[in-house]
Structure formats: C-alpha cells, structure tokens
Amino acid sequence: MGIVELQNVRKVYPLGKVQVEAVKGVSFCIEKGDFISIAGPSGSGKTTILNMVGLVDQPTEGEVFLDGKPTSGLKDAELTRLRHETLGFIFQSFNLIPVLNVWENIEFPLLLGKTRVGKDEKKEWIDHLIEEVGLSEWRKHKPNELSGGQRQRVAIARALVTRPQIVLADEPTANLDSATGEQILELMKKINRELETTFIFSTHDARIVDIADHIIRLRDGLVTENRRRDEPAAEACAAGAAGVGVRGARAGA
Amino acid sequence: MNTIANIALRNLSRQKKRTILLGSAIAFGVMIVTLINGFAGAFSANVAENFSDLMAGHIFISGTEKGPDDKDVSVIRDDRALTSAVAASGAPIRYVTRRSAFSGTLIFEGKKLRTNVDGADLEKETFLRDRLLLKAGSWDAMAEGNALILSEKIARKLNVDVGDNLLVQLQTATGQNNVGEFRLAGISFDTGIFGQMMSYANLAYVNELLGLAPGEYQTMGIMLDGLKHTESAAAGIYDKLSGSVQLFERGAKGSDGAETPFQALIRQQKKESWEGVRYRLFTINEVLSQIKQIVAALDTTAAVILVVLFVIIMVGIANTFSMVMFERIGEIGTMRALGVQRGGVRSMFLFEALFLALGGAVAGIALALVAMGVISLFDFGMDSPAFLIMRNGHLSFFLPPLRAVGNVAIIAVLTLIAVASPAGKAARLTPAEALRTQK
Ligand SMILES: Nc1ncnc2c1ncn2[C@@H]1O[C@H](COP(=O)(O)OP(=O)(O)OP(=O)(O)O)[C@@H](O)[C@H]1O
Ligand SMILES: [Mg+2]
C-alpha cells in the first residue's frame, strides 16, 4: 500500500468563461521512502498535482489518499493540521519568512499546531538539521543575507523539522545554477536515505531525473510514463484505502 | 500565538517609512486629543481655585434674617455657633474670612459707575495682599477707615487717582438708601473679567454703610487646603451646624438639577418665614456649576476630533494593509502550507495593526505630556485676560488617567475594525491561490 495514491484525479480551473483542464484524470501510487521525480514541460500540470498531493488544493474529481486515508471533504482546518503533521514543503523560490533568521525559520513549523517539543530536544534537532544542510555558521542570518543555494538548504531543513513522512518540492532547483541545483538534489537524496523520508520533487529539466527511484512523466495533464528505476512500469498500489481495487497508471503512451 | 505576534511585530519594522508615517499620524491625533483632554481636566479645577481665591473660600455660610416688612436681611450677627461647628467638623481649613459686600454706585467728578465692593478685615486677610497686586497706592493706606482699592479698569473709567475721594450710593442691608465717602488707597492690576469687578474696602466701614453693627458681617468664607476637600468638608460642617442653628436645605449638589442653588434659596426665602438668623451653606462648586458644562463641551469636542481624525487615519490603515496583504501574499501561502491556520493569518495582521496603534497612541500621549510640560512653563502673568483658567499665571493641564486609557482603547478598537477586512481577505485565501499569486 502506497503512502500517496491518486485515483482518477482531475483538476479544472475556471478561467473567465472557459475551463482550463490542468490535470485530466491521473492515477499513480507512491511507495514510502522513495525519491520520486515528477517531470514534464511547463504547463504539464506538475504544480497542480503537487498542490493536490500537498493538500494546498483540492481535486475537481477523483481522490487523493495520504497514508491510505482519503482526503476529500476535509475542512480547511483539518487539511491544515494534516499538512503540518505529515508534509514538508520546499518551494522553487525558497519562500523563507523574511523577518526570521535561519534558526527561527527552521524552528517555525515546530511552533505551530498542538504538539510541543521539549526545549533541549528541539534545540538539538534543529542544530543537527542546520549541520546536516551545512549552515552552522549562518544560523543567526536573515534570508536576504543568504545565497539561493543557502536559502534552499534552510528550506530543506525547515521541511524536515517536523519529521514529516513526505516532503514535496516543486522545482526546487529551478532558481539555482546547475551545480548548486545538483548539490541540493544530492542533499535531498542523502536525507531521503538517512531518514527514509519520501521525497516528491518536480522538474522540467529532463537531465536531472536520473537521481530518482521512481519517475512520473507528464504531458498536457496526463501521465505519459510511470516507472520505477530498472523496471518497465510501476505496479499498482496493493489495495485502495476503501478496499476498492486500484488501477495503477499505465506506462507509456 | 506568540510566534504569530512576534512575526507581526517584526513585520512592522520591514517597511520603516510606512510604519513611521502611519504611527505618526496616530500619534499626532492622540496628541491633539490628549492636549484638549488635559486642558479640560485642569480647566474646571483652575477656574474653581481662582474663584475660591477671589471669593475667599471654598465653602460659604451666609445668614439671612427676616427684617421689617418681611424683607430678607443678609447678616450674620453672632458667629460663635458657626465657628464651633466649623472647628468641630475637622475640615482641613487654611483660613476663615468674614465679609460684607454691597453693590453700589461710585461717583467721582460727575462720572458714575456701578460696582461691587467687598468689605474685608484686611488686618486678618493678609492673603489678599499676595493675591491682589497693586499698580498704584499701597496697602498701608488701607489703615484709613474709608480706604478703597479699585481695579485698574474701574479706576480708569472713573478717572480717579490714589488719594482722591469718591462718593458712593448704596442700599443698606434693610433696603434704605445710603451715601458714603471712600478715599482711594490703591489701584490693582486687572485679573480677568471677574477681577475687574472686585473692589475692596474695610469691613468696618462697609458694615457702617450697610447699617450693620461692628463685629457683624454677611458671609463667612472657609478656605480649605484644596478644592478636592470641598464637598466632604461642606457635608461635615453642614452636619455640625444642623444641630445648633437654623439652616436652609442645601441645594442639589450637582449641576444636573433643574434648579440652581440660588433659585432654590430664593424659592425657600419667598415661601417661608422664620425668627432670628437662618443660615445657608454653599460651595464653590455650586457657584460654578456651569463650569462643568464647559468642561463637558470641551471633552465632547475632543471626542469628536478623535473620531473624525481616526476615521481618516483608519482609511489610510485599511488601504495600507490591503497593499501589505498583496505584498506578502507569498508569505501567507507559505505559512498556510506549513500549517498556520486561517485564524493565525488573521491574527498576524490584527496584531500588526494593534502594535502600530498602541505604539502610535503611547507616543502621542508622551508627546502630549511633553507639550503640556513645555506650555505650562510659559508665564502669562497674573494680569492676563485668561487668568481665570490658569494657575498662578501658567496654563496647567490635568489628564485623567482613565481618559488616556480610554483614548488608547478607542484607537485600538478603531484600528482593528479598519484592518478587519484586509485581514479577513488574507485569511480566506486558499494556500494554492496565495502561492500561485506570489511574484
Ligand atoms: N489557478 C489557475 N487558474 C487557471 N489556470 C491555471 C491555474 N493554475 C494552473 N493553471 C493552468 O493549468 C495548467 C497546468 O499548470 P501547472 O502550474 O500545474 O503547470 P506546471 O507543470 O507546474 O508548469 P511550470 O513548469 O510552468 O511550473 C497550465 O496550463 C496553467 O496555465
Ligand atoms: Mg509549476
């Protein structure tokens, strides 16, 4: 059973009088601990899909399962709580909070929600993450004093601080030069192995998908390729949450 | 919650110019309103204190006797009962004055002028010498029995000089016409409207003119340690008096009653008849009940200015925060994605506005206090036409603390109302929308 499962997901945006069908019926299954790349050209629906997986947006049709549980029909407050508890986010333009320094930015998610972490435990964990992303010297600096690569490292640490099961990264390297982008991906991959956190990142750069265990290619809101590394096609999730038989996305087009 | 408040506070320092501009607008408004409040707060106390000085007391006891033809005669013949009641009351008394007064016509070389003349025991009322600054003549000349001190204005109108003799026409206490002669001993500086009307003579001579015996007088003035003791001391003295002498009912204390104390007195005197002297006790507050209305008007004006000023400032705040919402739309999306609830986003904006309002308001009050301090350093002199509203020639202020707190609260509430709509919009954004809209 996958940690993330999409069943026949459609997303239609009203755009004035016309309807834009950004995602046209997508199903796939993601295994826990995988490093997944969602690849596709601009406008293919990567952001739309990641938003729905990340519960910041809802499908027009179909169902998104997180850890086997359906997420449609949940109230905003419940979705927010789920995001906080199970998901981490890394953004293309870093999206750090400008008035908080490095340490505080990483700490921020821990100050939300109900669960309180012990002070020493928290400090130890944040310091560990800062070291992990190589920013020990920069903990008191504000985001605008950091380079793009450094900012994205802060964002990675922030995404991990709540020990989420899944980290979503929408084009995390798009605003970085290719060398820095590679380092960022390497870092994500390293954490993926160490913490067994599921990483889902999107990219429109066909060259950097090789690092992934599982590649989902999109074009015009449809899946064109869905395969695990060294396998011709990804198999379907074992069983749907509601006990319904689940189709895996078909490989190739 | 304090994470959100903390971020809100830091957000204020992001656009320093904008924050300072809005904060200054709030501070300026609060300063103006606080100054008016402070002025109004001191106004009634100053006027009352100054009148107390001019009238020589905070509490007054006058005597009334039924004369021939049932006419009221204002006289205190024997004040032993009064003196012991005043002493027994334990009121904090600075001094007691005994005065008789008449309103008569002064005549000098064909010029006539109607004025009040207060007869005071100048041997005992030494404070009057400090109070009344002489422009010409001397207090020593008051030793002469029929000496008179006129204000500058009256002396000029009559064209009299120190040493001149003036005739006076008046009615005695029982209503008989009488004539006397004064010798001008001194001319005093004008001190406001009321000061201009005050002329002083020796009590013994005024009594003689009024047809009263030596040792008698008309009004006892009781000067207390301060205005604030007035009502409690008056109640205490009235209580002690009520056992030993005949008393008129005290008029309604406040200014709210339809009937003024004087009207009440006249009504009672008309209807009733009695033997011997009947006493009436009244206070400076009753005499000056209209002052309270002026203060209320000032405070209302301040409130109106506060509201008008802040409606304008509110529009500015509402616009600014709408802008701020769009500037920070990406941040809102980020925070929502990371797990900040809708209420958190709303609170962040409300906190930011609240801190701005509180900072501005506190700065405004501080500025007003500094301004009050500086303004009250100016010496306008005792002869200023605005003398009555000042304290020893200085403008003074008293800011009731509750009013200051109230103003801050009003501003806080108005600001929160102004920001409610942009804060609500920010809270209702879906995270996907907010993240997509960011630059
Ligand atoms: N809120 C929206 N309203 C209308 N159309 C939208 C909205 N969001 C996305 N779209 C459209 O949906 C389609 C898919 O958009 P999406 O952002 O998911 O693509 P993407 O693969 O992330 O592209 P990029 O690589 O440029 O980020 C596009 O045609 C886009 O214009
Ligand atoms: Mg995108």
Side-chain angles (χ1 to χ4, degrees):
Chain A
M1 150 99 259
I3 186 143
V4 175
E5 188 180 344
L6 266 63
Q7 287 184 6
N8 299 321
V9 167
R10 275 182 77 228
K11 180 71 186 179
V12 179
Y13 291 112
L15 191 71
K17 283 197 180 109
V18 290
Q19 306 267 307
V20 179
E21 194 173 9
V23 174
K24 303 172 175 167
V26 163
S27 302
F28 58 74
C29 181
I30 286 169
E31 295 298 331
K32 191 168 162 38
D34 270 0
F35 199 69
I36 299 103
S37 166
I38 296 185
S42 185
S44 57
K46 305 183 294 293
T47 299
T48 307
I49 285 180
L50 279 180
N51 278 350
M52 290 187 292
V53 173
L55 307 182
V56 296
D57 211 351
Q58 273 78 58
T60 313
E61 256 175 52
E63 184 68 83
V64 175
F65 294 92
L66 275 194
D67 209 7
K69 292 187 254 322
T71 58
S72 63
L74 292 179
K75 289 206 198 77
D76 182 83
E78 289 162 340
L79 291 170
T80 304
R81 192 181 49 77
L82 262 180
R83 280 199 300 275
H84 180 244
E85 285 170 2
T86 54
L87 298 162
F89 290 87
I90 298 168
F91 303 92
Q92 177 179 335
S93 40
F94 324 128
N95 292 23
L96 301 179
I97 296 168
V99 294
L100 302 180
N101 66 29
V102 166
W103 206 90
E104 291 165 333
N105 258 291
I106 298 170
E107 181 198 25
F108 181 73
L110 289 182
L111 302 173
L112 308 170
K114 298 235 157 40
T115 46
R116 284 283 165 270
V117 191
K119 214 178 161 190
D120 293 339
E121 190 192 336
K122 181 174 87 177
K123 195 181 171 308
E124 209 173 298
W125 174 229
I126 294 173
D127 286 344
H128 170 75
L129 286 172
I130 287 185
E131 206 160 310
E132 189 81 354
V133 299
L135 289 175
S136 301
E137 311 286 299
W138 300 87
R139 62 183 70 213
K140 288 275 175 272
H141 289 253
K142 291 275 168 69
N144 61 6
E145 298 159 4
L146 304 178
S147 71
Q150 287 172 325
R151 290 185 207 190
Q152 203 58 305
R153 286 163 188 275
V154 179
I156 290 170
R158 179 179 68 182
L160 294 167
V161 77
T162 53
R163 302 174 206 263
Q165 291 180 281
I166 306 155
V167 171
L168 300 168
D170 191 10
E171 309 212 27
T173 62
N175 279 356
L176 302 171
D177 61 76
S178 55
T180 313
E182 233 160 81
Q183 287 168 15
I184 291 293
L185 280 177
E186 287 300 337
L187 178 62
M188 283 166 49
K189 178 80 190 172
K190 176 168 162 249
I191 291 163
N192 162 250
R193 278 194 303 265
E194 285 174 7
L195 299 175
E196 293 183 349
T197 309
T198 311
F199 270 82
I200 309 174
F201 74 97
S202 73
T203 180
H204 61 262
D205 185 346
R207 288 168 303 164
I208 64 170
V209 300
D210 301 341
I211 194 171
D213 306 320
H214 181 170
I215 300 163
I216 298 168
R217 281 191 204 279
L218 297 176
R219 177 176 291 275
D220 293 336
L222 286 168
V223 175
T224 55
E225 182 185 352
N226 180 7
R227 63 174 180 87
R228 296 181 61 85
R229 188 196 281 281
D230 311 326
E231 282 173 36
E235 68 266 35
C237 284
V244 189
V246 181
R247 282 159 289 142
R250 226 148 286 125
Chain B
M1 191 46 100
N2 53 25
T3 316
I4 296 295
N6 183 1
I7 290 177
L9 192 60
R10 294 190 195 189
N11 276 341
L12 270 182
S13 63
R14 279 166 80 171
Q15 288 275 350
K16 291 212 174 58
K17 244 189 216 161
R18 192 161 62 192
T19 301
I20 288 171
L21 212 70
L22 276 179
S24 308
I26 295 173
F28 176 77
V30 172
M31 184 185 78
I32 297 295
V33 169
T34 307
L35 279 174
I36 298 176
N37 287 152
F39 179 73
F43 180 83
S44 73
N46 285 350
V47 172
E49 286 287 18
N50 286 324
F51 265 85
S52 304
D53 282 349
L54 289 167
M55 294 177 66
H58 292 104
I59 300 171
F60 305 93
I61 303 170
S62 63
T64 310
E65 200 179 68
K66 286 290 176 190
D69 313 329
D70 218 24
K71 195 176 184 318
D72 290 328
V73 178
S74 168
V75 64
I76 296 175
R77 298 206 187 276
D78 177 352
D79 68 1
R80 275 172 301 183
L82 303 187
T83 313
S84 55
V86 169
S89 76
I93 291 161
R94 226 184 316 156
Y95 51 77
V96 172
T97 62
R98 292 168 174 82
R99 290 191 177 178
S100 297
F102 65 82
S103 174
T105 307
L106 293 174
I107 305 166
F108 180 72
E109 290 180 351
K111 292 198 171 65
K112 289 184 177 186
L113 190 77
R114 219 177 152 74
T115 184
N116 285 307
V117 177
D118 251 35
D121 187 341
L122 294 168
E123 293 285 305
K124 288 185 187 145
E125 289 193 25
T126 49
F127 70 92
L128 199 57
R129 301 186 177 203
D130 308 327
R131 179 80 248 165
L132 217 59
L133 303 176
L134 292 188
K135 195 182 165 80
S138 77
W139 285 98
D140 297 335
M142 287 305 287
E144 218 172 321
N146 65 341
L148 178 71
I149 293 178
L150 289 178
S151 78
E152 194 182 348
K153 189 164 185 180
I154 295 176
R156 201 169 41 239
K157 276 194 178 155
L158 288 169
N159 200 19
V160 283
D161 270 323
V162 171
D164 288 339
N165 287 330
L166 302 90
L167 278 183
V168 59
Q169 289 180 331
L170 72 154
Q171 288 202 323
T172 64
T174 51
Q176 315 298 310
N177 287 325
N178 199 2
V179 193
E181 189 183 48
F182 282 118
R183 176 186 282 272
L184 191 63
I187 297 174
S188 66
F189 279 105
D190 280 343
T191 49
I193 337 150
F194 201 74
Q196 287 171 8
M197 308 185 319
M198 299 300 282
S199 306
Y200 293 94
N202 286 305
L203 177 63
Y205 188 58
V206 171
N207 274 351
E208 193 185 319
L209 292 174
L210 283 169
L212 301 180
E216 295 180 342
Y217 60 101
Q218 292 178 317
T219 306
M220 176 184 272
I222 300 158
M223 189 68 94
L224 301 169
D225 277 345
L227 182 67
K228 60 177 188 291
H229 304 298
T230 303
E231 289 310 321
S232 61
I237 293 169
Y238 189 86
D239 191 49
K240 292 291 175 205
L241 282 174
S242 57
S244 53
V245 296
Q246 298 186 70
L247 279 173
F248 286 106
E249 261 176 58
R250 282 195 69 194
K253 262 192 209 137
S255 55
D256 336 7
E259 198 175 48
T260 69
F262 290 111
Q263 288 168 328
L265 175 74
I266 288 163
R267 179 174 51 81
Q268 286 173 355
Q269 283 173 338
K270 284 268 155 58
K271 275 205 312 233
E272 301 166 44
S273 188
W274 63 89
E275 288 293 313
V277 181
R278 206 171 204 198
Y279 297 94
R280 192 172 94 82
L281 183 145
F282 58 101
T283 68
I284 192 77
N285 293 334
E286 287 159 2
V287 175
L288 297 177
S289 58
Q290 277 146 319
I291 296 297
K292 297 267 187 291
Q293 292 167 14
I294 297 177
V295 171
L298 275 172
D299 281 338
T300 311
T301 311
V304 169
I305 291 178
L306 180 84
V307 169
V308 169
L309 224 52
F310 278 93
V311 165
I312 296 169
I313 295 173
M314 272 169 73
V315 172
I317 291 178
N319 282 335
T320 306
F321 275 83
S322 296
M323 248 161 59
V324 165
M325 191 204 99
F326 283 108
E327 280 170 19
R328 303 208 192 128
I329 202 155
E331 261 162 77
I332 296 167
T334 307
M335 289 186 181
R336 295 285 283 118
L338 295 183
V340 175
Q341 297 282 4
R342 289 200 157 141
V345 172
R346 179 181 287 111
S347 313
M348 191 171 64
F349 278 85
L350 294 181
F351 270 126
E352 188 169 341
L354 190 65
F355 290 144
L356 181 69
L358 291 180
V362 169
I365 289 175
L367 280 176
L369 291 177
V370 170
M372 288 174 188
V374 171
I375 292 170
S376 53
L377 287 179
F378 289 110
D379 190 345
F380 291 89
M382 299 296 275
D383 53 348
S384 157
F387 160 82
L388 268 184
I389 60 169
M390 300 200 264
R391 195 81 210 118
N392 300 326
H394 295 266
L395 271 176
S396 72
F397 298 89
F398 172 68
L399 181 61
L402 264 181
R403 195 166 286 282
V405 172
N407 286 344
V408 174
I410 290 174
I411 281 137
V413 169
L414 289 181
T415 310
L416 290 181
I417 292 172
V419 182
S421 153
K425 266 187 213 149
R428 281 190 301 272
L429 278 172
T430 72
E433 257 178 281
L435 285 168
R436 211 178 104 85
T437 316
Q438 72 176 312
K439 301 140 284 173

